[in-house]
Amino acid sequence: MIFLSMICILQISYNNLKLGDPTRLHNSTPHAKGSFIRQNSRYNIFNLIFKLFIKNIITFEAMKVMMNKIVWRISLALLICGYIKASDICISNIYISGNKQTKEFTILRELPFHTGDIMSEDKLIHQLQVATEHLNNTSLFNYVHIDYMPDTLNRDNCLSCIVTIQVEERWYYWPQVSLKLEDRNLSAWLHEKNFNRVTIGWGLRIYNVFGMRHKIAVSHYFGYEKGLRLSYSNIALDKKRTKMLGFSTSMLFNKNLNVGSEKNKVIYIKDPDNFLDRTFEGMIRYSYRPGIRNTHAIDIGYQRTHLGDTILKINENYWGSDNPVNHAFKLSYDYSYEHRNYIAYPTKGYYAGTEIKGITADKMHFFYGELNLKLQYYEEIFSRWFWSSRLNTGITVKNKRAYTYDRHVGYEDKNITGYDYYVIDGQRYAILNNDIRFLLMPEKIFNLDSSRTTSKFKKIHISLYAKLMYDVGYVHNKYRDEAHTLANAFLWGSGLGLDLVTYYDVVLNCSYAINKMGEGRFYFGIKAPLF
């Protein structure tokens, strides 16, 4: 029975196969071409042997390919007879190409499988998809393609395969010439159009230093904010790259400062002759990432700030002390579980993260603590239709009133649709962002033909989404007065928008939204992590 099965399989042939071409061993995507273990033989083995030996044109590579195929077909014969299980596939090797700068171990660190792993074909296909997502989320590559092909049978009771990884690296050296709008978001700055709140920066950012995913940033700022900033992150402390270290330091000076809020809007003051805020800050970050999804991190920092004389006169509750010079010590722990398909613009998966933060200042007369939680869920509900919900909630405690520690909704990533022009201060908050997206234009890749364009920028991918948004939120402020009407009240906002997603993790968006006050406006935004 075994002999007859071997003969039948060895006699199966493929047309249009050129003799001695090892690159055609496996040139198809497993998802498109069907089952890995049910692929047909490519040519008649007996005819091939006759041509190779009689015509004396055999090469080492051709012989290697031929032997691989013979052994592979023998394994198929054993499979038909039931001597091996169809579900068992062993990863015999992993080949990586395209990584001109990135070290192989940097790529292998992001894979959910290793050489020697044995799994079912369905699980292998899923793991290849997971690996693609994680390599894309490193922001080291513009394009990632992972496939697998048959190899010789080198283990009992399993078929073996080779995993191939092809990457196209990004540009890692970015001279930093930036124009930063010192407002909470682009829409808020366009509404005020205050050119005094513009910071111009220049410097250098280097990603993937030494091919090990290190990041160095050196920046000098002038305009709204003046100063210097230096950071170095993702320094591995062990061979497995599970323990990482980073540090940053900065000296910043401001002549414009946010000193409070009134009627749900920020109050700025300006002193053209003196600095209102002079801050030196240093921080060390240690992170532990045992797998590819879980990350634990501890931050330890010190900050020295010298305020201008007028700040505490305008707002005596600015930072919980009447001393214009403040020394603050910071300690925080955060944990994150990452299961999103594309961090810059996720459409599938989920994310969970929590942070515990503690600060002491004013010679330990002031204490501040914060606990926040983030939960995100993304799902494809129909073909080209996606739904997402994102919960952002937090609670703070402190022993003195301090405005700088009550800034929440309207700052950083705590936003509610339709409230871009407003801020809401408080000690406890909860925000639920929801949207339904429709993929108007699936990802299209454009190739620039210009010979002057470097290969890092020749291929541009663009996709376009339409979205319906509906957000709700609540902020509790125990110091609320009549001028802060949005605190201690249920908030909602809804709107329609467009998102343009392109390479280097850039997302452009525009939307029209309405809030609970009945105000409807157009809003614009940009997210560009690398710039």
Side-chain angles (χ1 to χ4, degrees), residues 265-330:
K265 294 191 176 183
V266 175
I267 300 174
Y268 290 94
I269 66 169
K270 177 185 178 182
D271 188 337
D273 301 319
N274 301 292
F275 291 113
L276 298 176
D277 183 333
R278 289 173 288 178
T279 298
F280 167 81
E281 185 172 14
M283 187 191 72
I284 296 176
R285 180 180 181 87
Y286 169 82
S287 62
Y288 174 63
R289 185 170 171 242
I292 61 174
R293 300 196 185 278
N294 300 277
T295 302
H296 306 262
I298 296 176
D299 293 335
I300 302 174
Y302 166 77
Q303 184 183 76
R304 180 188 184 279
T305 304
H306 190 173
L307 292 179
D309 297 334
T310 59
I311 302 301
L312 296 179
K313 294 178 181 179
I314 296 173
N315 185 355
E316 61 181 7
N317 298 311
Y318 180 74
W319 61 6
S321 171
D322 57 1
N323 190 339
V325 179
N326 198 21
H327 301 266
F329 298 89
K330 304 178 180 181

Side-chain angles (χ1 to χ4, degrees), residues 283-470:
M283 187 191 72
I284 296 176
R285 180 180 181 87
Y286 169 82
S287 62
Y288 174 63
R289 185 170 171 242
I292 61 174
R293 300 196 185 278
N294 300 277
T295 302
H296 306 262
I298 296 176
D299 293 335
I300 302 174
Y302 166 77
Q303 184 183 76
R304 180 188 184 279
T305 304
H306 190 173
L307 292 179
D309 297 334
T310 59
I311 302 301
L312 296 179
K313 294 178 181 179
I314 296 173
N315 185 355
E316 61 181 7
N317 298 311
Y318 180 74
W319 61 6
S321 171
D322 57 1
N323 190 339
V325 179
N326 198 21
H327 301 266
F329 298 89
K330 304 178 180 181
L331 176 65
S332 68
Y333 163 81
D334 63 80
Y335 167 81
S336 64
Y337 184 83
E338 181 60 70
H339 203 292
R340 294 173 292 181
N341 62 335
Y342 180 37
I343 292 177
Y345 195 84
T347 56
K348 298 179 183 178
Y350 52 90
Y351 169 87
T354 186
E355 181 182 23
I356 303 173
K357 181 189 301 183
I359 299 175
T360 181
D362 191 25
K363 299 179 180 180
M364 301 191 72
H365 291 104
F366 175 79
F367 298 94
Y368 170 81
E370 179 179 351
L371 170 65
N372 61 56
L373 173 68
K374 295 180 181 180
L375 299 174
Q376 302 177 8
Y377 184 77
Y378 305 85
E379 184 177 353
E380 184 177 8
I381 50 179
F382 303 108
S383 177
R384 300 175 66 174
W385 287 89
F386 303 90
W387 162 62
S388 72
S389 288
R390 303 173 300 281
L391 175 67
N392 191 343
T393 182
I395 182 172
T396 66
V397 293
K398 54 184 181 295
N399 62 333
K400 295 180 181 180
R401 184 176 180 179
Y403 164 73
T404 55
Y405 297 100
D406 285 342
R407 297 181 293 194
H408 292 298
V409 174
Y411 297 92
E412 298 177 350
D413 60 347
K414 298 185 276 285
N415 299 299
I416 302 176
T417 295
Y419 295 83
D420 294 45
Y421 296 161
Y422 300 102
V423 294
I424 310 170
D425 304 327
Q427 297 76 46
R428 297 191 293 272
Y429 65 91
I431 303 169
L432 181 63
N433 306 107
N434 306 279
D435 59 50
I436 295 177
R437 309 175 199 169
F438 175 69
L439 182 57
L440 283 175
M441 184 180 72
E443 182 180 278
K444 293 185 180 296
I445 298 178
F446 301 91
N447 291 290
L448 303 179
D449 297 330
S450 174
S451 58
R452 297 181 180 180
T453 305
T454 177
S455 59
K456 311 291 185 181
F457 300 94
K458 280 189 175 182
K459 292 172 65 175
I460 302 176
H461 64 84
I462 295 176
S463 55
L464 183 65
Y465 292 81
K467 62 182 180 180
L468 169 65
M469 304 166 289
Y470 184 78

Side-chain angles (χ1 to χ4, degrees), residues 148-332:
Y148 66 114
M149 63 183 185
D151 192 14
T152 56
L153 184 68
N154 60 355
R155 285 178 177 265
D156 295 334
N157 299 326
C158 73
L159 303 176
S160 61
C161 73
I162 297 172
V163 174
T164 61
I165 302 175
Q166 184 177 3
V167 298
E168 293 186 29
E169 294 181 322
R170 291 184 174 184
W171 182 259
Y172 300 129
Y173 306 91
W174 292 94
Q176 186 184 358
V177 180
S178 62
L179 182 67
K180 183 181 178 183
L181 306 178
E182 296 291 350
D183 240 314
R184 304 173 314 283
N185 50 65
L186 177 60
S187 296
W189 187 88
L190 291 173
H191 181 66
E192 300 292 339
K193 295 184 179 67
N194 188 342
F195 287 91
N196 291 321
R197 294 206 295 272
V198 174
T199 295
I200 299 174
W202 64 275
L204 180 65
R205 290 186 184 183
I206 306 176
Y207 297 84
N208 202 20
V209 179
F210 307 124
M212 296 188 291
R213 207 183 170 187
H214 295 186
K215 175 185 174 184
I216 297 177
V218 181
S219 307
H220 173 254
Y221 302 99
F222 59 95
Y224 175 87
E225 188 176 63
K226 296 177 174 63
L228 298 170
R229 189 188 302 272
L230 170 66
S231 66
Y232 196 155
S233 58
N234 294 334
I235 306 170
L237 301 179
D238 62 336
K239 291 184 178 180
K240 294 183 178 180
R241 303 184 65 79
T242 59
K243 304 176 181 68
M244 310 293 282
L245 186 68
F247 70 88
S248 65
T249 183
S250 63
M251 293 185 297
L252 301 174
F253 309 91
N254 287 307
K255 292 185 177 181
N256 296 268
L257 194 63
N258 168 10
V259 297
S261 64
E262 186 176 1
K263 296 181 179 179
N264 308 307
K265 294 191 176 183
V266 175
I267 300 174
Y268 290 94
I269 66 169
K270 177 185 178 182
D271 188 337
D273 301 319
N274 301 292
F275 291 113
L276 298 176
D277 183 333
R278 289 173 288 178
T279 298
F280 167 81
E281 185 172 14
M283 187 191 72
I284 296 176
R285 180 180 181 87
Y286 169 82
S287 62
Y288 174 63
R289 185 170 171 242
I292 61 174
R293 300 196 185 278
N294 300 277
T295 302
H296 306 262
I298 296 176
D299 293 335
I300 302 174
Y302 166 77
Q303 184 183 76
R304 180 188 184 279
T305 304
H306 190 173
L307 292 179
D309 297 334
T310 59
I311 302 301
L312 296 179
K313 294 178 181 179
I314 296 173
N315 185 355
E316 61 181 7
N317 298 311
Y318 180 74
W319 61 6
S321 171
D322 57 1
N323 190 339
V325 179
N326 198 21
H327 301 266
F329 298 89
K330 304 178 180 181
L331 176 65
S332 68

